[in-house]
Amino acid sequence: MEGVVILKRNCCDPYSLILILKRTMIQRHLLAFVFLLGSSPQLFSQTLTLEGAVEASFAQYPTLAAQRSALDAIRANVRVVRDNRLPNVRLHDQINIGTANGLSGSYFSLGLIVPTSGGRRAENRPDLASGNVALATADWEIYNFGRFSAEDKLVRSDVAVSEANLQREQFGLRQTVISSYLDLYWTEQNLLIEEQNLARVDTVRRIIVNLVRNGVKPGLDSSLANVALSRARLAYLRMQEERQRARVQLATLTGRPAEEVKIDTAFRVGPLLVPLSTSLTPPTHPLLRVQERLVTRQTAEIDLIRKSALPRVSLLAATWARGSSLDVENNFGPVAKGLAYSRTNYLLGIAGTVNLMDFRRASHRIKLQQFRIEEARNQLAVAKLQLQNAVGIADAQLSVVQSELSELPNTLRSAQDAYNQRFSLYNNGLETILSLTDALTLLTAVEKEAVQTRAQAVQLRLQRAQATDNFEEFYSLFRR
C-alpha cells in the first residue's frame, strides 16, 4: 500500500516511479525467498548434482541391470564348462523275465532290436527265463592335447568381453545422463533470462502506462508495451514447457519423480578459460576395450578350434554282475533263481579317439575366424581414429570459444548500458518506445547468446572428456 500511495503522489516523476517499482519488486522477492526457506527445510539437501545423477542412473537403470545379469550368466558358464569335464559315472540295474531263444547271425541293432543271450535250440520254446543285471561304468577324458586349457581361455575371454560391454553401457548411459542434465541446466538458465526479461518488460510497461495516464506519453506507447509484455509472457511459458520436458527426461534416467528433480545450479566459468594440455585416447577407453577383447576372444577361439581336432585320450572302467535262471547246460530252471547274481566281471581300458575329417573342418573354420579377427582389428583402428579426431576437433574449437567467453562480460555490460541509456532517454522524451524495445530485445538476445556460448564450451569439454575417458575436469565445472 505504501508503494501505491507514493505512486499517486509522484505520478509525474519517472525516476521516482522506477525507484518505487524496483523497491516493491525487491520486497516481493525477499518475502518469497523467506517463505521458500521456511516451508522447504530439506530443499538444498535434495539437490541433484551432476555426479549424483550419473550415480543414480548407474544404480537403477534397466539396461545396466540387464548387462549385469548377462555378465553373471557368463561367469556362471565358467563353472558349467569345468563341470563338463567330470568323469561320467553311470549305475544301472534291471530285472527281466522273458523267453530265451537264440539264433546264429549278425545284425545292426539300431537301438531297436532287443538282444537275447541264450543257447541255440532246434525249436522255438515258450518257456520263461529270468535274469538280473547290474552295471557300473565310468569314462573320463584325461588328456586332449590342451583343449581344456583352450576352453578355459575362451570362457575367460567371454567374461572379459561381457565386462567390457557393461563398461561401454555405463559409458553410454553416463553420456546420456550428462546430456539430459545439461539440457535441464541450460533450459533453466534460459528460463531465468526469460523471467528477468518479463520483469523488465513489466516494469517498463507499468511506468509507461502511468505516464500515458498522466498525458506525458502517447497512448500508442502503452499498447506497444502491452504487446511486448504479452510476447515476454509467451516466451516465458514456452521455456517453462521446455524445462518440464527436460526434467521428465532426467527423472526417467535417475529413477526419481519429476516433481522432485531439482538440479544444482553451481557452475564455474573460470576453468573454461584455462588452456588444456594435449591428451591422447587411453587404450583402456570403454569404446576401445570391447574391440580389443573381441580380438582376444576370437584369437582364443582359433586355438580351441585347432585343439578340438586333436585326439582325445579317455580312461574307461566298468563292472557288472549278472544272474540267470538258465543253467550252464542252457536248461530252464526256476524263475526265482535268476533274481540272484551268479557272475561278476570288470573291465579297465584306455581309449584314444580321433576324427580325421575334423582336421579339414578345423582348417576352414580357422580361416573364417582369421577374417573375423582382421575385421575386428580394423574396427578397433577406426574407433581409435574417431576418438582421437574428436579430441582434436574439441581442442581446435575450444581455442576459439575461449576467446568468445573472454569477450562475453564486455558484451553483456555494453548491452546493459545501452538499455539503461535508452531507458533514460525515453523518460526524458528523447527516444521512442520502439528504440527502447529494441534495446530491451538486444539485451535479452545478448544474455541468451552468453548462455549458448557457455553451453557450447561445456559441450566441447564434454566431447573431450568422452574421447579421453577423463571426466574429472568436466565434473569440476559443476562443483561448488
Side-chain angles (χ1 to χ4, degrees):
M1 294 301 295
E2 177 188 358
V4 175
V5 174
I6 298 178
L7 277 172
K8 291 181 179 179
R9 286 185 289 178
N10 301 280
C11 60
C12 297
D13 187 356
Y15 295 103
S16 299
L17 290 174
I18 296 173
L19 293 175
I20 293 167
L21 288 174
K22 284 185 177 181
R23 185 173 65 181
T24 304
M25 292 179 64
I26 291 173
Q27 291 174 347
R28 289 177 179 175
H29 283 101
L30 286 175
L31 287 174
F33 182 69
V34 171
F35 174 77
L36 186 63
L37 289 178
S39 60
S40 303
Q42 302 298 325
L43 181 62
F44 294 101
S45 62
Q46 298 176 355
T47 300
L48 185 64
T49 64
L50 178 57
E51 295 172 79
V54 172
E55 293 300 325
S57 65
F58 282 179
Q60 66 84 35
Y61 206 64
T63 57
L64 287 185
Q67 286 288 343
R68 292 189 185 102
S69 298
L71 176 58
D72 291 339
I74 293 178
R75 285 173 175 166
N77 188 51
V78 175
R79 173 52 60 186
V80 172
V81 171
R82 292 177 180 173
D83 289 344
N84 289 336
R85 302 169 189 168
L86 296 175
N88 297 315
V89 179
R90 301 179 181 90
L91 301 177
H92 177 75
D93 185 88
Q94 57 177 279
I95 298 175
N96 305 308
I97 185 170
T99 59
N101 295 297
L103 192 65
S104 298
S106 300
Y107 56 88
F108 292 102
S109 69
L110 301 179
L112 303 175
I113 300 176
V114 179
T116 297
S117 178
R120 293 174 296 166
R121 303 176 189 279
E123 72 281 357
N124 195 57
R125 298 279 299 273
D127 303 83
L128 296 179
S130 63
N132 188 4
V133 178
L135 176 68
T137 64
D139 61 275
W140 188 13
E141 189 174 326
I142 57 175
Y143 186 69
N144 49 35
F145 298 92
R147 182 171 61 86
F148 286 163
S149 62
E151 288 178 348
D152 289 338
K153 186 177 180 181
L154 182 61
V155 294
R156 286 196 300 267
S157 299
D158 286 335
V159 171
V161 171
S162 184
E163 290 173 345
N165 281 328
L166 176 59
Q167 293 170 355
R168 182 174 63 179
E169 189 69 29
Q170 287 180 333
F171 185 85
L173 182 59
R174 178 191 286 115
Q175 180 178 352
T176 302
V177 172
I178 291 177
S179 298
S180 299
Y181 188 96
L182 292 178
D183 188 16
L184 179 56
Y185 179 83
W186 299 123
T187 301
E188 290 194 347
Q189 295 301 307
N190 285 320
L191 181 64
L192 180 60
I193 291 175
E194 296 294 349
E195 185 178 1
Q196 293 173 347
N197 179 58
L198 180 59
R200 286 193 294 256
V201 172
D202 187 49
T203 300
V204 171
R205 186 194 67 85
R206 290 172 183 269
I207 295 174
I208 291 175
V209 168
N210 190 68
L211 294 175
V212 169
R213 285 176 182 169
N214 291 276
V216 179
K217 293 291 183 180
L220 177 62
D221 286 8
S222 63
S223 299
L224 294 176
N226 289 330
V227 172
L229 180 63
S230 180
R231 293 182 60 187
R233 284 174 178 168
L234 288 175
Y236 178 73
L237 293 175
R238 291 192 190 100
M239 196 54 62
Q240 277 190 323
E241 180 183 356
E242 286 294 315
R243 181 182 66 174
Q244 189 62 22
R245 177 197 59 77
R247 179 179 288 174
V248 169
Q249 183 175 358
L250 184 60
T252 302
L253 292 170
T254 56
R256 299 187 178 191
E259 59 273 9
E260 295 182 8
V261 173
K262 179 178 176 57
I263 62 173
D264 193 352
T265 57
F267 178 68
R268 300 166 59 206
V269 182
L272 291 175
L273 302 175
V274 178
L276 297 174
S277 58
T278 304
S279 296
L280 299 176
T281 302
T284 57
H285 194 286
L287 299 182
L288 301 180
R289 192 175 300 156
V290 174
Q291 297 295 334
E292 289 180 345
R293 292 184 176 179
L294 280 174
V295 172
T296 303
R297 192 262 178 204
Q298 291 171 344
T299 304
E301 188 170 354
I302 284 183
D303 191 35
L304 179 59
I305 292 172
R306 182 181 294 110
K307 292 182 178 179
S308 294
L310 298 177
R312 305 178 184 183
V313 179
S314 300
L315 180 64
L316 306 176
T319 181
W320 66 97
R322 185 174 182 182
S324 176
S325 63
L326 295 173
D327 59 17
V328 292
E329 301 295 334
N330 204 29
N331 297 315
F332 292 93
V335 174
K337 182 181 177 181
L339 302 181
Y341 302 121
S342 59
R343 296 292 186 270
T344 59
N345 295 280
Y346 67 88
L347 185 66
L348 296 175
I350 187 168
T353 305
V354 63
N355 187 340
L356 297 180
M357 290 298 101
D358 282 347
F359 291 104
R360 179 180 176 85
R361 298 186 185 102
S363 64
H364 291 162
R365 290 178 61 192
I366 288 172
K367 187 175 296 184
L368 172 63
Q369 198 64 22
Q370 286 172 341
F371 285 125
R372 291 175 176 171
I373 291 175
E374 189 65 24
E375 178 188 6
R377 285 175 177 165
N378 290 330
Q379 291 176 346
L380 176 60
V382 170
K384 288 181 179 179
L385 185 61
Q386 290 175 341
L387 289 174
Q388 194 58 44
N389 187 48
V391 175
I393 292 175
D395 289 343
Q397 293 181 339
L398 272 173
S399 61
V400 179
V401 175
Q402 284 175 342
S403 301
E404 296 177 6
L405 289 173
S406 301
E407 189 62 26
L408 279 180
N410 296 330
T411 307
L412 287 170
R413 184 168 53 253
S414 300
Q416 185 67 49
D417 292 342
Y419 168 70
N420 293 334
Q421 292 171 7
R422 287 288 178 88
F423 193 40
S424 177
L425 292 173
Y426 175 80
N427 286 329
N428 291 312
L430 301 177
E431 283 285 2
T432 63
I433 183 63
L434 296 178
S435 299
L436 178 60
T437 305
D438 290 341
L440 185 57
T441 303
L442 176 62
L443 176 58
T444 304
V446 169
E447 291 174 340
K448 291 182 179 180
E449 186 177 352
V451 172
Q452 292 175 356
T453 303
R454 290 167 183 157
Q456 182 183 4
V458 170
Q459 185 62 35
L460 291 173
R461 290 291 294 270
L462 176 59
Q463 178 179 328
R464 197 175 191 275
Q466 291 168 347
T468 59
D469 193 28
N470 182 9
F471 288 86
E472 184 62 28
E473 292 182 349
F474 178 78
Y475 285 151
S476 66
L477 299 174
F478 298 89
R479 291 172 181 165
R480 295 185 179 275

